[in-house]
Amino acid sequence: MKTLTIIKPDDWHLHLREGLVLKNIIHFTSELFGRAIVMPNTKNPITSIDSAISYKKSIVEALSESSKFEPLMTMYLTDDTDKRELITGFKNNVFFAAKLYPANATTNSSHGVKKIENLYKIFESMEDSGMPLLIHGEVTDPEVDIFDREEVFIDRELSPIVERFPKLKLVLEHITTSYAVDFVQENNIGATITPHHLHINRNAMFFGGLNSDFYCLPVAKREKNRLALRSAATSGKEFFFLGSDSAPHLRKWKAFCGCAGIFNSPVAIESYLTVFEEENALDNFEKFASLNGPNFYNVPPNKGKLKLVSKPNKVAEFIDVVEGENIVGQIKPFHAGETLKWQVENISN
Ligand code: NCD
Ligand code: ZN
């Protein structure tokens, strides 16, 4: 039986939602991860210091009393973002970073930015103050094929930003293409990689009928891209770090409306680990999960440890959302019904 002990990881891209869903799912992350960057695309997006403080309070209240988990809050950039509010929030440790969603690129992004150039003044201040900019890198131009939206975004929007703001701390979130892998390394920026983009290619959405279980944004691409992502993630290189993009949607919505987002927090570590083992790269897992992110964001790695053991691990078909004694909804996790080969054996703080 193989074992692996690593420094406690962080999740640098996570959707925790609100209310009952938040209360039901937070433990999947807070038990295993030291910190997580919490995405601001809640129903009413987090666009002010006050809303970030009250969202963080609701997250902390949903944690168990002994939990040491630290949610890192982000501000959702809009066409009307107030520069002073953003930088003040960053300097006072309310915001850890700012998130840029092109308008209507993904779930709850209707308040996103319509013309990125209009934010250049804001980027200038972020560059000066060292505030990280996290980017959902897809164009929303309906004329651009959905499978090309990341590459076109890199050419049309990201390249000019990188050129104009060379010191801006940039993360291209949930990368899905070999084009992005190359761009990130050539331009010395950061990138998160999700477990699902390491496991599935675009065929998964069409297997056995149209299958929204595997629909997320950016959408999974061709196999050659998946292979490039696997080699980037498992390389141990400093640019690439863990960001699960776990994005729960209640079954009823996911099944009927096909909302974008894959809920992987119940299996994220085990799912990544499967990939690292298949790529003979278990030695690099700690870099990807626990060291490259802190190094990029200039924060110390966590103190705790996670001990993992290679033992069969059957994944539930559904995770219940409960209110008191009643099951009020269900969410399908990534790898539902599969048996993964790794389990968490021990967690220390
Ligand atoms: C995310 C969500 O549901 O909030 N969905 C997704 O497909 N990844 C939003 C996002 O990160 O794009
Ligand atoms: Zn996301």
PDB file of all heavy atoms in Angstrom, residues 222-247:
ATOM      1  N   ARG A 222     -10.197  19.276 -27.010  1.00  0.00           N
ATOM      2  CA  ARG A 222      -9.704  18.039 -27.621  1.00  0.00           C
ATOM      3  C   ARG A 222      -8.672  17.340 -26.742  1.00  0.00           C
ATOM      4  O   ARG A 222      -8.008  17.983 -25.932  1.00  0.00           O
ATOM      5  CB  ARG A 222      -8.991  18.364 -28.940  1.00  0.00           C
ATOM      6  CG  ARG A 222      -9.881  18.685 -30.080  1.00  0.00           C
ATOM      7  CD  ARG A 222      -9.014  18.992 -31.295  1.00  0.00           C
ATOM      8  NE  ARG A 222      -9.840  19.419 -32.394  1.00  0.00           N
ATOM      9  CZ  ARG A 222     -10.472  18.579 -33.222  1.00  0.00           C
ATOM     10  NH1 ARG A 222     -10.318  17.290 -33.093  1.00  0.00           N
ATOM     11  NH2 ARG A 222     -11.234  19.057 -34.178  1.00  0.00           N
ATOM     12  N   GLU A 223      -8.487  16.035 -27.024  1.00  0.00           N
ATOM     13  CA  GLU A 223      -7.560  15.218 -26.246  1.00  0.00           C
ATOM     14  C   GLU A 223      -6.144  15.806 -26.179  1.00  0.00           C
ATOM     15  O   GLU A 223      -5.496  15.760 -25.142  1.00  0.00           O
ATOM     16  CB  GLU A 223      -7.542  13.800 -26.844  1.00  0.00           C
ATOM     17  CG  GLU A 223      -6.601  12.820 -26.174  1.00  0.00           C
ATOM     18  CD  GLU A 223      -6.976  12.485 -24.730  1.00  0.00           C
ATOM     19  OE1 GLU A 223      -7.971  13.030 -24.204  1.00  0.00           O
ATOM     20  OE2 GLU A 223      -6.240  11.676 -24.126  1.00  0.00           O
ATOM     21  N   LYS A 224      -5.660  16.362 -27.268  1.00  0.00           N
ATOM     22  CA  LYS A 224      -4.276  16.865 -27.241  1.00  0.00           C
ATOM     23  C   LYS A 224      -4.119  17.979 -26.185  1.00  0.00           C
ATOM     24  O   LYS A 224      -3.069  18.144 -25.589  1.00  0.00           O
ATOM     25  CB  LYS A 224      -3.828  17.339 -28.628  1.00  0.00           C
ATOM     26  CG  LYS A 224      -4.313  18.713 -29.047  1.00  0.00           C
ATOM     27  CD  LYS A 224      -3.590  19.169 -30.313  1.00  0.00           C
ATOM     28  CE  LYS A 224      -4.042  20.496 -30.858  1.00  0.00           C
ATOM     29  NZ  LYS A 224      -3.919  21.689 -30.106  1.00  0.00           N
ATOM     30  N   ASN A 225      -5.189  18.700 -25.952  1.00  0.00           N
ATOM     31  CA  ASN A 225      -5.155  19.739 -24.919  1.00  0.00           C
ATOM     32  C   ASN A 225      -5.132  19.128 -23.518  1.00  0.00           C
ATOM     33  O   ASN A 225      -4.402  19.577 -22.646  1.00  0.00           O
ATOM     34  CB  ASN A 225      -6.366  20.665 -25.065  1.00  0.00           C
ATOM     35  CG  ASN A 225      -6.287  21.469 -26.338  1.00  0.00           C
ATOM     36  OD1 ASN A 225      -5.412  22.300 -26.492  1.00  0.00           O
ATOM     37  ND2 ASN A 225      -7.171  21.178 -27.275  1.00  0.00           N
ATOM     38  N   ARG A 226      -5.953  18.098 -23.329  1.00  0.00           N
ATOM     39  CA  ARG A 226      -5.954  17.424 -22.027  1.00  0.00           C
ATOM     40  C   ARG A 226      -4.546  16.901 -21.714  1.00  0.00           C
ATOM     41  O   ARG A 226      -4.049  17.050 -20.598  1.00  0.00           O
ATOM     42  CB  ARG A 226      -6.962  16.264 -22.034  1.00  0.00           C
ATOM     43  CG  ARG A 226      -7.121  15.596 -20.674  1.00  0.00           C
ATOM     44  CD  ARG A 226      -8.087  14.419 -20.748  1.00  0.00           C
ATOM     45  NE  ARG A 226      -7.509  13.250 -21.362  1.00  0.00           N
ATOM     46  CZ  ARG A 226      -6.982  12.222 -20.698  1.00  0.00           C
ATOM     47  NH1 ARG A 226      -6.967  12.227 -19.373  1.00  0.00           N
ATOM     48  NH2 ARG A 226      -6.475  11.185 -21.330  1.00  0.00           N
ATOM     49  N   LEU A 227      -3.902  16.336 -22.708  1.00  0.00           N
ATOM     50  CA  LEU A 227      -2.562  15.786 -22.484  1.00  0.00           C
ATOM     51  C   LEU A 227      -1.566  16.895 -22.126  1.00  0.00           C
ATOM     52  O   LEU A 227      -0.713  16.718 -21.258  1.00  0.00           O
ATOM     53  CB  LEU A 227      -2.087  14.994 -23.709  1.00  0.00           C
ATOM     54  CG  LEU A 227      -2.946  13.754 -24.025  1.00  0.00           C
ATOM     55  CD1 LEU A 227      -2.428  13.044 -25.278  1.00  0.00           C
ATOM     56  CD2 LEU A 227      -2.985  12.792 -22.834  1.00  0.00           C
ATOM     57  N   ALA A 228      -1.702  18.043 -22.783  1.00  0.00           N
ATOM     58  CA  ALA A 228      -0.804  19.169 -22.473  1.00  0.00           C
ATOM     59  C   ALA A 228      -1.039  19.662 -21.041  1.00  0.00           C
ATOM     60  O   ALA A 228      -0.092  20.022 -20.326  1.00  0.00           O
ATOM     61  CB  ALA A 228      -1.034  20.311 -23.462  1.00  0.00           C
ATOM     62  N   LEU A 229      -2.307  19.673 -20.618  1.00  0.00           N
ATOM     63  CA  LEU A 229      -2.620  20.104 -19.245  1.00  0.00           C
ATOM     64  C   LEU A 229      -2.051  19.121 -18.231  1.00  0.00           C
ATOM     65  O   LEU A 229      -1.532  19.515 -17.189  1.00  0.00           O
ATOM     66  CB  LEU A 229      -4.141  20.201 -19.046  1.00  0.00           C
ATOM     67  CG  LEU A 229      -4.853  21.281 -19.850  1.00  0.00           C
ATOM     68  CD1 LEU A 229      -6.362  21.111 -19.749  1.00  0.00           C
ATOM     69  CD2 LEU A 229      -4.452  22.667 -19.368  1.00  0.00           C
ATOM     70  N   ARG A 230      -2.157  17.820 -18.561  1.00  0.00           N
ATOM     71  CA  ARG A 230      -1.611  16.806 -17.638  1.00  0.00           C
ATOM     72  C   ARG A 230      -0.109  16.973 -17.505  1.00  0.00           C
ATOM     73  O   ARG A 230       0.442  16.872 -16.411  1.00  0.00           O
ATOM     74  CB  ARG A 230      -1.943  15.390 -18.140  1.00  0.00           C
ATOM     75  CG  ARG A 230      -3.376  14.991 -17.857  1.00  0.00           C
ATOM     76  CD  ARG A 230      -3.734  13.715 -18.568  1.00  0.00           C
ATOM     77  NE  ARG A 230      -3.240  12.525 -17.904  1.00  0.00           N
ATOM     78  CZ  ARG A 230      -3.973  11.724 -17.129  1.00  0.00           C
ATOM     79  NH1 ARG A 230      -5.244  11.996 -16.916  1.00  0.00           N
ATOM     80  NH2 ARG A 230      -3.455  10.651 -16.570  1.00  0.00           N
ATOM     81  N   SER A 231       0.553  17.254 -18.600  1.00  0.00           N
ATOM     82  CA  SER A 231       2.000  17.359 -18.456  1.00  0.00           C
ATOM     83  C   SER A 231       2.390  18.665 -17.755  1.00  0.00           C
ATOM     84  O   SER A 231       3.330  18.690 -16.977  1.00  0.00           O
ATOM     85  CB  SER A 231       2.708  17.070 -19.784  1.00  0.00           C
ATOM     86  OG  SER A 231       2.976  18.235 -20.447  1.00  0.00           O
ATOM     87  N   ALA A 232       1.598  19.731 -17.952  1.00  0.00           N
ATOM     88  CA  ALA A 232       1.883  20.984 -17.226  1.00  0.00           C
ATOM     89  C   ALA A 232       1.664  20.800 -15.724  1.00  0.00           C
ATOM     90  O   ALA A 232       2.530  21.138 -14.911  1.00  0.00           O
ATOM     91  CB  ALA A 232       0.980  22.100 -17.758  1.00  0.00           C
ATOM     92  N   ALA A 233       0.509  20.269 -15.350  1.00  0.00           N
ATOM     93  CA  ALA A 233       0.174  20.145 -13.924  1.00  0.00           C
ATOM     94  C   ALA A 233       1.184  19.255 -13.207  1.00  0.00           C
ATOM     95  O   ALA A 233       1.628  19.562 -12.093  1.00  0.00           O
ATOM     96  CB  ALA A 233      -1.234  19.570 -13.768  1.00  0.00           C
ATOM     97  N   THR A 234       1.568  18.157 -13.845  1.00  0.00           N
ATOM     98  CA  THR A 234       2.420  17.177 -13.159  1.00  0.00           C
ATOM     99  C   THR A 234       3.910  17.515 -13.292  1.00  0.00           C
ATOM    100  O   THR A 234       4.747  16.815 -12.753  1.00  0.00           O
ATOM    101  CB  THR A 234       2.172  15.755 -13.695  1.00  0.00           C
ATOM    102  OG1 THR A 234       2.455  15.732 -15.109  1.00  0.00           O
ATOM    103  CG2 THR A 234       0.734  15.306 -13.470  1.00  0.00           C
ATOM    104  N   SER A 235       4.217  18.607 -14.017  1.00  0.00           N
ATOM    105  CA  SER A 235       5.631  18.974 -14.217  1.00  0.00           C
ATOM    106  C   SER A 235       6.268  19.517 -12.948  1.00  0.00           C
ATOM    107  O   SER A 235       7.484  19.549 -12.828  1.00  0.00           O
ATOM    108  CB  SER A 235       5.733  20.054 -15.305  1.00  0.00           C
ATOM    109  OG  SER A 235       5.178  21.278 -14.818  1.00  0.00           O
ATOM    110  N   GLY A 236       5.431  19.990 -12.022  1.00  0.00           N
ATOM    111  CA  GLY A 236       5.973  20.632 -10.822  1.00  0.00           C
ATOM    112  C   GLY A 236       6.386  22.081 -11.074  1.00  0.00           C
ATOM    113  O   GLY A 236       6.792  22.780 -10.154  1.00  0.00           O
ATOM    114  N   LYS A 237       6.249  22.548 -12.311  1.00  0.00           N
ATOM    115  CA  LYS A 237       6.683  23.919 -12.634  1.00  0.00           C
ATOM    116  C   LYS A 237       5.877  24.953 -11.864  1.00  0.00           C
ATOM    117  O   LYS A 237       4.660  24.803 -11.680  1.00  0.00           O
ATOM    118  CB  LYS A 237       6.542  24.175 -14.139  1.00  0.00           C
ATOM    119  CG  LYS A 237       7.598  23.466 -14.955  1.00  0.00           C
ATOM    120  CD  LYS A 237       7.449  23.851 -16.412  1.00  0.00           C
ATOM    121  CE  LYS A 237       8.399  23.045 -17.279  1.00  0.00           C
ATOM    122  NZ  LYS A 237       8.030  23.149 -18.701  1.00  0.00           N
ATOM    123  N   GLU A 238       6.563  26.043 -11.480  1.00  0.00           N
ATOM    124  CA  GLU A 238       5.995  27.038 -10.557  1.00  0.00           C
ATOM    125  C   GLU A 238       4.738  27.748 -11.063  1.00  0.00           C
ATOM    126  O   GLU A 238       3.953  28.257 -10.281  1.00  0.00           O
ATOM    127  CB  GLU A 238       7.073  28.095 -10.280  1.00  0.00           C
ATOM    128  CG  GLU A 238       7.385  28.923 -11.531  1.00  0.00           C
ATOM    129  CD  GLU A 238       8.821  29.410 -11.599  1.00  0.00           C
ATOM    130  OE1 GLU A 238       9.720  28.560 -11.739  1.00  0.00           O
ATOM    131  OE2 GLU A 238       9.012  30.636 -11.538  1.00  0.00           O
ATOM    132  N   PHE A 239       4.546  27.785 -12.393  1.00  0.00           N
ATOM    133  CA  PHE A 239       3.412  28.541 -12.961  1.00  0.00           C
ATOM    134  C   PHE A 239       2.057  27.895 -12.652  1.00  0.00           C
ATOM    135  O   PHE A 239       1.042  28.557 -12.675  1.00  0.00           O
ATOM    136  CB  PHE A 239       3.513  28.611 -14.491  1.00  0.00           C
ATOM    137  CG  PHE A 239       4.889  28.885 -14.995  1.00  0.00           C
ATOM    138  CD1 PHE A 239       5.726  27.855 -15.438  1.00  0.00           C
ATOM    139  CD2 PHE A 239       5.368  30.183 -15.005  1.00  0.00           C
ATOM    140  CE1 PHE A 239       6.999  28.120 -15.897  1.00  0.00           C
ATOM    141  CE2 PHE A 239       6.636  30.456 -15.465  1.00  0.00           C
ATOM    142  CZ  PHE A 239       7.461  29.425 -15.912  1.00  0.00           C
ATOM    143  N   PHE A 240       2.070  26.588 -12.429  1.00  0.00           N
ATOM    144  CA  PHE A 240       0.808  25.843 -12.397  1.00  0.00           C
ATOM    145  C   PHE A 240       0.467  25.413 -10.975  1.00  0.00           C
ATOM    146  O   PHE A 240       1.292  24.809 -10.291  1.00  0.00           O
ATOM    147  CB  PHE A 240       0.911  24.614 -13.305  1.00  0.00           C
ATOM    148  CG  PHE A 240       1.324  24.966 -14.711  1.00  0.00           C
ATOM    149  CD1 PHE A 240       2.592  24.659 -15.191  1.00  0.00           C
ATOM    150  CD2 PHE A 240       0.453  25.659 -15.544  1.00  0.00           C
ATOM    151  CE1 PHE A 240       2.981  25.013 -16.474  1.00  0.00           C
ATOM    152  CE2 PHE A 240       0.831  26.025 -16.837  1.00  0.00           C
ATOM    153  CZ  PHE A 240       2.102  25.701 -17.306  1.00  0.00           C
ATOM    154  N   PHE A 241      -0.768  25.720 -10.553  1.00  0.00           N
ATOM    155  CA  PHE A 241      -1.164  25.297  -9.217  1.00  0.00           C
ATOM    156  C   PHE A 241      -2.640  24.896  -9.151  1.00  0.00           C
ATOM    157  O   PHE A 241      -3.406  25.104 -10.091  1.00  0.00           O
ATOM    158  CB  PHE A 241      -0.828  26.352  -8.158  1.00  0.00           C
ATOM    159  CG  PHE A 241      -0.961  27.781  -8.587  1.00  0.00           C
ATOM    160  CD1 PHE A 241      -2.183  28.434  -8.488  1.00  0.00           C
ATOM    161  CD2 PHE A 241       0.136  28.474  -9.080  1.00  0.00           C
ATOM    162  CE1 PHE A 241      -2.299  29.769  -8.858  1.00  0.00           C
ATOM    163  CE2 PHE A 241       0.021  29.815  -9.467  1.00  0.00           C
ATOM    164  CZ  PHE A 241      -1.202  30.458  -9.357  1.00  0.00           C
ATOM    165  N   LEU A 242      -2.960  24.297  -8.002  1.00  0.00           N
ATOM    166  CA  LEU A 242      -4.281  23.681  -7.824  1.00  0.00           C
ATOM    167  C   LEU A 242      -5.374  24.746  -7.693  1.00  0.00           C
ATOM    168  O   LEU A 242      -5.284  25.622  -6.841  1.00  0.00           O
ATOM    169  CB  LEU A 242      -4.221  22.808  -6.565  1.00  0.00           C
ATOM    170  CG  LEU A 242      -5.398  21.903  -6.218  1.00  0.00           C
ATOM    171  CD1 LEU A 242      -4.928  20.772  -5.278  1.00  0.00           C
ATOM    172  CD2 LEU A 242      -6.601  22.601  -5.645  1.00  0.00           C
ATOM    173  N   GLY A 243      -6.390  24.637  -8.538  1.00  0.00           N
ATOM    174  CA  GLY A 243      -7.589  25.450  -8.409  1.00  0.00           C
ATOM    175  C   GLY A 243      -8.707  24.556  -8.902  1.00  0.00           C
ATOM    176  O   GLY A 243      -8.797  24.284 -10.099  1.00  0.00           O
ATOM    177  N   SER A 244      -9.515  24.044  -7.990  1.00  0.00           N
ATOM    178  CA  SER A 244     -10.443  22.968  -8.378  1.00  0.00           C
ATOM    179  C   SER A 244     -11.565  23.481  -9.283  1.00  0.00           C
ATOM    180  O   SER A 244     -12.121  22.730 -10.060  1.00  0.00           O
ATOM    181  CB  SER A 244     -11.051  22.321  -7.134  1.00  0.00           C
ATOM    182  OG  SER A 244     -11.937  23.238  -6.504  1.00  0.00           O
ATOM    183  N   ASP A 245     -11.921  24.775  -9.144  1.00  0.00           N
ATOM    184  CA  ASP A 245     -13.112  25.299  -9.807  1.00  0.00           C
ATOM    185  C   ASP A 245     -14.342  24.451  -9.477  1.00  0.00           C
ATOM    186  O   ASP A 245     -15.247  24.311 -10.301  1.00  0.00           O
ATOM    187  CB  ASP A 245     -12.924  25.420 -11.326  1.00  0.00           C
ATOM    188  CG  ASP A 245     -14.021  26.255 -11.978  1.00  0.00           C
ATOM    189  OD1 ASP A 245     -14.670  27.035 -11.263  1.00  0.00           O
ATOM    190  OD2 ASP A 245     -14.235  26.107 -13.193  1.00  0.00           O
ATOM    191  N   SER A 246     -14.336  23.866  -8.280  1.00  0.00           N
ATOM    192  CA  SER A 246     -15.521  23.103  -7.870  1.00  0.00           C
ATOM    193  C   SER A 246     -16.712  24.069  -7.885  1.00  0.00           C
ATOM    194  O   SER A 246     -16.680  25.114  -7.249  1.00  0.00           O
ATOM    195  CB  SER A 246     -15.305  22.524  -6.470  1.00  0.00           C
ATOM    196  OG  SER A 246     -16.432  21.783  -6.087  1.00  0.00           O
ATOM    197  N   ALA A 247     -17.750  23.701  -8.627  1.00  0.00           N
ATOM    198  CA  ALA A 247     -18.853  24.640  -8.887  1.00  0.00           C
ATOM    199  C   ALA A 247     -20.181  23.893  -8.800  1.00  0.00           C
ATOM    200  O   ALA A 247     -20.717  23.436  -9.809  1.00  0.00           O
ATOM    201  CB  ALA A 247     -18.682  25.279 -10.265  1.00  0.00           C
TER     202      ALA A 247
END
